[in-house]
């Protein structure tokens, strides 16, 4: 069985549970995910009275097998983003999923003024809270300039050559992959994860990709809807987590007026 570069922890007593255990990536300027410096395996099963071979099998099957990357603008982050990240992490047994906050999403450029990258990163960190194995990453913001996934994947490969990378996209994005910058190089760097919301048609990505499909309940919400809600004075709760609502309020984003 492949462990995809992870070595099972020989000393379960020292395992520390909790996803955001170091909180390292929740700080701007620390774009390198903490799992790349400090790989720990949570959820080590209770071994009870199992024989040694059984214990080994169970532990091997629980080993996380890589790093998911859910890219987006996150302006603002909402529970659809969180649900997608959680579902993919669980379905594919990933060590961690990064909410990768785009610095300058070139495909959205020119459509509307985006909130500052720092604000979007802070909101994304706040949205993650203590969700296990989900983290906001500032890698693309720290890199600066227009954001291309190809650069992000190359950078992650360099930082963590042993990690298997999983590029997570919605089925709408899967159909547009051929428009991405240097798209023909992407399949050599990551497995594509297509998140299919209930009712989605089976999206066929361009040839060459190794594909995993993960289904999730349809939460028909978007950041655009959330911005419109703020403008109209309609509630964000429960579509945006309370800590993010507080930050939107405190920063006066999206035309928020506290009246
Ligand atoms: P906007 O309305 O500004 O386009 P968005 O809600 O689509 O924002 P993005 O930051 O563009 O959010 O999306 C980042 C990623 O999250 C994309 O892969 C997208 O498919 C996915 N995503 C967005 N909304 C949802 C949702 N409701 N459920 C599951 N995945 C979602
Ligand atoms: Mg969108």
């Amino acid at each position: 069985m492949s462990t995809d570069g992870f070595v099972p922890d020989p000393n379960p007593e020292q395992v520390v549970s909790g996803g955001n255990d170091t909180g390292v990536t929740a700080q701007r300027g620390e774009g390198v995910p903490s799992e790349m410096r400090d790989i720990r395996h949570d959820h080590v099963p209770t071994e009870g009275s199992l024989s040694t071979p059984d214990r080994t099998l169970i532990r091997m099957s629980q080993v996380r097998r890589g790093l998911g990357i859910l890219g987006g603008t996150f302006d603002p982050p909402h529970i659809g983003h969180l649900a997608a990240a959680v579902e993919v992490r669980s379905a594919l047994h990933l060590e961690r999923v990064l909410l990768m906050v785009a610095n300058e999403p070139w495909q959205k450029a020119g459509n509307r003024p985006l909130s500052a990258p720092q604000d979007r990163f802070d909101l994304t960190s706040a949205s993650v809270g203590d969700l296990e194995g989900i983290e906001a990453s500032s890698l693309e913001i720290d890199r600066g300039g227009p954001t291309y996934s190809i650069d992000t994947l190359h950078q992650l490969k360099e930082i963590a050559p042993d990690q298997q990378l999983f590029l997570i996209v919605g089925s709408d994005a899967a159909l547009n992959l051929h428009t991405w910058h240097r798209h023909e190089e992407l399949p050599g760097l990551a497995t594509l994860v297509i998140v299919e919301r209930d009712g989605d048609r089976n999206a066929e990505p361009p040839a060459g990709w190794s594909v995993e499909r993960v289904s999730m309940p349809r939460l028909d919400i978007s950041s655009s809807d959330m911005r419109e809600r703020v403008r109209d004075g309609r509630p964000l709760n429960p579509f945006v987590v309370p800590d993010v609502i507080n930050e939107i309020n405190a920063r006066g984003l999206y035309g928020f007026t506290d009246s």
Side-chain angles (χ1 to χ4, degrees):
M1 183 191 293
S2 163
T3 59
D4 300 311
F6 287 131
V7 180
D9 195 319
N11 189 353
E13 282 76 47
Q14 290 186 358
V15 165
V16 178
S17 65
N20 242 343
D21 43 21
T22 62
V24 173
T25 54
Q27 291 163 24
R28 264 284 273 115
E30 293 281 357
V32 179
S34 56
E35 70 275 13
M36 294 170 187
R37 296 189 291 262
D38 182 11
I39 294 172
R40 300 169 187 183
H41 304 292
D42 39 24
H43 289 318
V44 171
T46 308
E47 292 167 356
S49 58
L50 291 172
S51 66
T52 303
D54 290 339
R55 283 204 298 265
T56 307
L57 277 178
I58 285 189
R59 208 176 305 152
M60 293 288 281
S61 71
Q62 296 289 320
V63 168
R64 306 292 185 214
R65 63 179 184 128
L67 181 64
I69 302 128
L70 176 61
T73 314
F74 302 107
D75 195 16
H78 52 70
I79 57 168
H81 297 131
L82 299 178
V86 167
E87 292 284 56
V88 169
R89 177 174 183 259
S90 157
L92 303 184
H93 306 289
L94 301 184
E95 169 90 20
R96 215 153 285 205
V97 171
L98 304 179
L99 302 186
M100 186 61 73
V101 184
N103 187 54
E104 283 175 27
W106 61 282
Q107 290 204 323
K108 284 190 178 174
N111 293 345
R112 66 173 181 91
L114 296 178
S115 305
Q118 179 73 61
D119 282 330
R120 292 185 284 108
F121 175 76
D122 292 346
L123 296 187
T124 307
S125 291
S127 80
V128 165
D130 58 4
L131 275 181
E132 193 174 305
I134 315 291
E135 291 186 17
S137 174
S138 64
L139 195 73
E140 294 180 344
I141 299 174
D142 296 341
R143 194 169 69 233
T147 300
Y148 300 115
S149 296
I150 186 75
D151 296 334
T152 304
L153 295 182
H154 274 301
Q155 211 176 340
L156 288 171
K157 277 280 174 214
E158 216 165 275
I159 298 166
D162 293 341
Q163 290 270 355
Q164 189 177 350
L165 303 180
F166 292 81
L167 183 66
I168 305 166
V169 296
S171 38
D172 44 338
L175 293 171
N176 287 329
L177 280 169
H178 62 283
T179 67
W180 289 22
H181 188 57
R182 289 163 57 192
H183 64 91
E184 62 291 339
E185 291 171 50
L186 294 166
L189 294 166
T191 298
L192 183 67
V193 182
I194 304 180
V195 179
E196 296 180 327
R197 306 184 221 174
D198 288 346
D200 278 352
R201 282 184 299 118
N202 242 11
E204 278 312 321
W209 280 103
S210 157
V211 179
E212 300 264 11
R213 293 177 189 272
V214 174
S215 55
M216 65 173 281
R218 174 168 288 280
L219 292 166
D220 253 334
I221 56 173
S222 67
S223 300
S224 310
D225 300 338
M226 298 304 111
R227 296 190 298 272
E228 204 174 301
R229 283 176 166 273
V230 176
R231 276 197 301 274
D232 297 350
R234 284 182 289 140
L236 289 180
N237 196 1
F239 308 112
V240 172
V241 303
D243 283 353
V244 174
I245 297 175
N246 291 339
E247 286 301 323
I248 291 172
N249 181 2
R251 295 165 194 233
L253 296 174
Y254 317 120
F256 191 99
T257 48
D258 198 8
S259 57

